[in-house]
Each structure stands twice: as structure tokens, then as C-alpha cells.
Amino acid sequence: YNIKMWKRFQDVFNVLPFAAVIDEKIFCVHAGLSPDLNAMPQIQDIDRPTDVPDSGLLCDLMWSDPDADISGWAENDRGVSYTFGADVVAKFLQKHEFDLVVRAHQVVEDGYEFFADRQLVTIFTAPNYCGEFDNAGAVMAVDESLMCSFRILKPADKKSLDKNDSSRPLTPPRKR
């Protein structure tokens, strides 16, 4: 691997969509919703490539999080964007005539986790995230009738992740 390959990946990421809609019913996004999102064309109108700003629509699409303990919008503990309640999800779905919000962005123990009466699902694909969590990962499939199913990526045993386990090559230490 080299810097040229890294730059190629960056070129690809710079043109990936910020959100997608499946069959006009499932809204897919990295993080969550935004109080600044009034119409779907706003997402298409974001200039590319661009840096993610500290606030506003794009920031929220990348950093907002659902919160079962609130209604409406609140400050996010991450220090950027917002958290939103189940009521926000319900209003968003009704306004845009969607059935489901699919997001990623947060470690969830079982690989996927529903929110807001199954109107939003968080999917996290990385089991044993950063070698520090015992979480499963998951992948969601959507069939022709928009039925969603999940394939679970089970976490590895803590023992197999142990640095001293000789069956697994060690990651070289970071250069300082």
C-alpha cells in the first residue's frame, strides 16, 4: 500500500453520495437527520468534493445521533451536530413519505439496533470495533418487496484478539 492508493480511495470517497433512497421508501444515511433538511434536493445540491463543516445540513447527515431519552432536538455529546428523538424520526418519515431511516455511525452491541418503534435502524458492520468492543457487526439486505433482513457478523473471542495470541500476527506499533 502506498500514498497513491490512499489518494485514490480519497477520490472515491469525495464523490460517494451523502444519502440514498431505496425505492422511494427507505432513506439511508451515514449518521442521521438534520433540522436543516426540508427537501431531498438539498442533499443533491451539496457541492462535491467538499469538507464536512462544523454545523449545518452536511454536518448533521454525517454526525447526528438518535436519542431515546429526548423529544425534538438536543445538543450532541460528541460536541458536534445534534441528537434527535423518536418524534423527529416520525415527522421526517411522514413528511417525505418514507417508511424507514437506515443509518450507521454508532457501535451497537448486536450489529443492528432499532429505534423509534422500528422506524429507524442503526447498522454497524465492524465486529470487535477497534479491538476494544465485543460488538457484533451486521449487514442489512433489502428484497424486492422491501423486506429487510440482517446477516450478523459475530464478534471474535476476546482470547483471539489478545495481543499475545501467537496464532494471529501482531499489528506493528505506530511510529512516533
Side-chain angles (χ1 to χ4, degrees), residues 3-162:
I3 191 72
K4 186 176 180 180
M5 182 180 285
W6 179 83
K7 286 182 179 183
R8 292 276 188 228
F9 274 100
Q10 294 306 306
D11 291 344
V12 170
F13 281 114
N14 283 334
V15 295
L16 286 174
F18 291 116
V21 176
I22 299 171
D23 207 20
E24 300 179 1
K25 288 296 180 185
I26 302 174
F27 180 73
C28 306
V29 66
H30 174 71
L33 306 177
S34 173
D36 295 335
L37 181 57
N38 299 307
M40 289 297 118
Q42 287 177 265
I43 298 171
Q44 294 171 326
D45 293 343
I46 298 170
D47 288 331
R48 300 304 300 269
T50 189
D51 292 326
V52 178
D54 293 334
S55 62
L57 174 61
L58 180 53
C59 176
D60 299 335
L61 294 175
M62 301 301 287
W63 292 108
S64 66
D65 297 306
D67 186 338
D69 297 327
I70 68 163
S71 61
W73 298 94
E75 286 186 23
N76 195 323
D77 290 341
R78 294 180 192 272
V80 65
S81 189
Y82 298 97
T83 57
F84 52 90
D87 60 321
V88 171
V89 176
K91 288 175 190 171
F92 174 83
L93 293 175
Q94 183 178 18
K95 177 178 182 174
H96 298 287
E97 299 180 1
F98 295 143
D99 293 337
L100 179 67
V101 174
V102 178
R103 66 181 295 270
H105 178 63
Q106 281 182 304
V107 177
V108 290
E109 186 175 345
D110 297 323
Y112 71 98
E113 184 175 283
F114 285 102
F115 176 75
D117 294 323
R118 299 175 71 97
Q119 295 178 102
L120 179 147
V121 64
T122 297
I123 302 170
F124 198 77
T125 59
N128 297 107
Y129 183 59
C130 290
E132 296 180 19
F133 294 87
D134 292 328
N135 67 290
V139 176
M140 186 177 88
V142 180
D143 72 13
E144 298 82 20
S145 67
L146 300 184
M147 177 71 70
C148 299
S149 60
F150 300 91
R151 174 153 290 167
I152 305 303
L153 310 169
K154 294 186 179 185
D157 265 349
K158 265 296 203 199
K159 203 175 187 181
S160 69
L161 294 176
D162 187 3

